[in-house]
Amino acid sequence: MSAQEEFFKHIPKISYKPSAGPADLWCFKHYSAEEVLMGKSMEDWLRFSVCYWHSFCGTGADTFGFPTLHRPWNEGTPMEAAKKRVRAAFGVKYYTFHDRDMAPEGSTLEESNRNLDEVTDLALQLQNQTGVNVLWVTCNLFTHPRYMNGASTNPDCHVLAYAGAQVKKGLDVAKKLGAQNFVFWGGREGFHSILNTDVGAELKHMANFFKMAVKYKEKIGLNCQFLIEPKPKEPCKHQYDYDAMSVIAFLKHYGLEEHFKLNIEPNHTTLAGHSYEHDIVMASSFGMLGSVDANTGSADLGWDTDQFPMDIRNTTLVMKTIIEQGGIQPGGLNFDAKVRRESTNLEDLFIAHIGAMDAFARGLKNAVCMIQDGLLPGMVKERYTSYSHGLGHKVVLGSATLEDLEAYVKETGEPKITSGKQETFESIFNRYL
Ligand code: XLS
Ligand code: NI
Ligand code: NI
């Protein structure tokens, strides 16, 4: 029995219907997978993936309340539910998962690994039948009590060893399922009190842990992109992978930058006090934007609400950056997002994904118009014309000296005042939305 017959009998096939009115939500108004824009199909620009932990394991439970979302695939023993979930998850082009979402943790490492083998055998079989692929795999190194003081940054090397054994298995599973990326999210790699923490030692241990992962990846011939996902806090008070710039500095400091890119989650970016698009743009400027956890927070809250991204301004800015860097492959747009615990219908889960996919398709179309039109890019270029010749060009080449700069000022005097025209840029940007 297919997942459609087993779990989603009443869900229609979602097709592209550009004429759809506001109440017609069971279709894409903007997302048309095969449509080619700037040399790539929408499907290739966007590379959507559905995440396991929210969409298939999520129950709506929070720190103050019991589960509200009752899903037919979450019934039975932990292993029975794990197998039902795999079948339910096979409706989308890509998926992402933590090792422990896929199969329950056993009482020993060996038992956990056996569980994972059993469920991923089924996943592989379904992948082959359906053509669905893994966008990325990650290891859950934060839920089990052993990880309460960190995984690779734990003061106890025994815990680091456990995390290493888990990652080793995770990499084997990534290879088996042909995952295109492997993510490290360090939720407990950080501290609650600086008084009990040797920061220098912990950072070094984490770097060496990553080096071991790189070595093992090469040894088994696993051909996938490693990604680090920054987040400033939650669950720790301070997390080492604070934001894009901290992770890039860490990678460069420890000589790891060749082996990693970043998986940027905008809700984490806003949690760090930046604007929605900040880390996307920063990571991309360094050639380090590897993938996106496409979600959003609430600007008025200080935590990770993992909402579905629905704001067209945001999706336009993200897609503009992705187009400018030539695409996001082998990464993608992973919906690390959950329906609200009050959105209790199974239909809500579909409407959420359809709406967010359409929001990104619209963002893509807007960004394409903006770039092809050339007006805004031209205006940005214009601001920097002084670097295209003479002294400016020498600065770009790195051959100018302070003496050259001084001589230039003595010759030409005071620079003229030039408007930054922010409101002009903002007004033009709005015309594309
Ligand atoms: C948590 C993170 C997590 C990672 C994968 O805030 O977003 O879900 O994406 O471990
Ligand atoms: Ni995430
Ligand atoms: Ni998150």
Side-chain angles (χ1 to χ4, degrees):
M1 209 186 342
S2 72
Q4 172 76 30
E5 293 155 21
E6 194 174 355
F7 302 109
F8 308 125
K9 268 198 234 50
H10 55 300
I11 306 289
K13 186 163 166 41
I14 312 300
S15 50
Y16 174 51
K17 218 166 110 191
S19 60
D24 186 0
L25 296 180
W26 290 97
C27 62
F28 297 115
K29 193 173 166 63
H30 298 277
Y31 182 62
S32 147
E34 266 107 65
E35 187 178 331
V36 174
L37 297 164
M38 295 182 74
K40 251 194 240 292
S41 66
M42 277 207 189
E43 187 172 60
D44 287 343
W45 279 120
L46 298 163
R47 297 172 57 82
F48 292 125
S49 102
V50 171
C51 88
Y52 227 81
W53 52 102
H54 289 315
S55 291
F56 299 104
C57 305
T59 63
D62 69 12
T63 10
F64 301 96
F66 293 137
T68 56
L69 310 175
H70 300 286
R71 307 298 194 204
W73 52 80
N74 274 341
E75 284 157 18
T77 65
M79 277 301 269
E80 278 163 10
K83 289 180 187 173
K84 275 193 203 159
R85 273 201 298 271
V86 185
R87 289 200 302 274
F90 277 84
V92 278
K93 174 105 193 196
Y94 293 104
Y95 70 112
T96 55
F97 65 93
H98 299 83
D99 49 359
R100 301 300 180 244
D101 311 330
M102 184 56 98
E105 177 132 15
S107 51
T108 61
L109 180 69
E110 290 83 349
E111 195 193 333
S112 301
N113 288 352
R114 271 198 308 276
N115 289 349
L116 198 53
D117 285 337
E118 202 177 318
V119 185
T120 51
D121 280 347
L122 179 60
L124 183 59
Q125 205 184 312
L126 286 159
Q127 277 184 214
N128 291 335
Q129 276 166 24
T130 58
V132 167
N133 282 304
V134 179
L135 185 71
W136 52 259
V137 179
T138 187
C139 286
N140 180 329
L141 304 176
F142 45 89
T143 299
H144 194 282
R146 79 173 76 85
Y147 295 126
M148 67 182 181
N149 291 302
S152 71
T153 61
N154 199 294
D156 180 1
C157 186
H158 194 153
V159 180
L160 178 146
Y162 211 105
Q166 204 178 316
V167 166
K168 177 173 179 285
K169 183 67 184 177
L171 294 171
D172 289 334
V173 164
K175 165 128 198 200
K176 166 172 158 183
L177 298 182
Q180 303 191 13
N181 303 269
F182 191 94
V183 166
F184 294 88
W185 171 61
R188 301 209 188 264
E189 314 296 19
F191 51 81
H192 289 286
S193 169
I194 203 68
L195 292 176
N196 68 2
T197 307
D198 183 342
V199 169
E202 292 197 357
L203 286 169
K204 177 130 215 241
H205 301 161
M206 182 160 80
N208 286 342
F209 185 85
F210 285 141
K211 287 181 185 167
M212 294 182 224
V214 169
K215 233 184 183 169
Y216 188 70
K217 173 189 175 217
E218 283 165 1
K219 178 176 161 193
I220 63 173
L222 167 61
N223 182 20
C224 78
Q225 174 68 57
F226 272 180
L227 300 166
I228 294 184
E229 182 176 324
K231 187 175 183 182
K233 55 187 165 189
E234 194 205 68
C236 282
K237 168 187 146 114
H238 174 86
Q239 281 158 215
Y240 294 130
D241 302 331
Y242 197 89
D243 61 0
M245 294 302 276
S246 337
V247 172
I248 292 169
F250 167 85
L251 291 171
K252 293 206 184 259
H253 182 78
Y254 289 102
L256 283 158
E257 71 270 26
E258 296 296 306
H259 303 287
F260 287 83
K261 285 190 174 175
L262 273 55
N263 179 40
I264 299 296
E265 179 170 320
N267 198 168
H268 298 176
T269 308
T270 51
L271 209 48
H274 304 307
S275 63
Y276 187 91
E277 65 280 2
H278 179 93
D279 273 8
I280 297 272
V281 173
M282 289 305 193
S284 183
S285 306
F286 282 82
M288 302 283 272
L289 178 64
S291 202
V292 178
D293 265 5
N295 72 0
T296 190
S298 274
D300 47 357
L301 291 178
W303 67 92
D304 200 12
T305 56
D306 288 340
Q307 289 163 236
F308 278 85
M310 297 285 185
D311 185 323
I312 309 298
R313 175 208 171 267
N314 293 341
T315 58
T316 302
L317 282 169
V318 171
M319 290 318 299
K320 177 173 174 286
T321 307
I322 289 178
I323 296 171
E324 284 166 351
Q325 69 165 34
I328 192 81
Q329 64 288 347
L333 302 181
N334 172 50
F335 291 120
D336 188 353
K338 56 187 174 199
V339 290
R340 301 303 83 195
R341 76 190 290 270
E342 301 81 10
S343 301
T344 49
N345 297 336
L346 188 57
E347 285 80 355
D348 294 320
L349 184 61
F350 284 85
I351 298 283
H353 283 91
I354 298 165
M357 287 167 79
D358 245 2
F360 265 98
R362 220 174 125 187
L364 170 65
K365 289 201 260 180
N366 292 344
V368 165
C369 285
M370 211 184 302
I371 290 168
Q372 285 186 329
D373 211 28
L375 180 60
L376 277 179
M379 285 165 59
V380 173
K381 205 164 160 219
E382 170 83 28
R383 292 190 78 206
Y384 297 88
T385 43
S386 62
Y387 288 91
S388 61
H389 55 274
L391 179 70
H393 191 55
K394 272 179 94 178
V395 170
V396 172
L397 295 176
S399 60
T401 63
L402 286 184
E403 290 86 335
D404 291 338
L405 304 187
E406 184 192 44
Y408 185 84
V409 172
K410 284 188 170 162
E411 195 192 312
T412 55
E414 189 61 28
K416 69 173 193 311
I417 299 294
T418 310
S419 173
K421 299 183 189 166
Q422 181 175 325
E423 301 74 11
T424 306
F425 278 83
E426 288 167 341
S427 302
I428 294 176
F429 177 79
N430 280 347
R431 295 267 164 103
Y432 292 97
L433 298 188

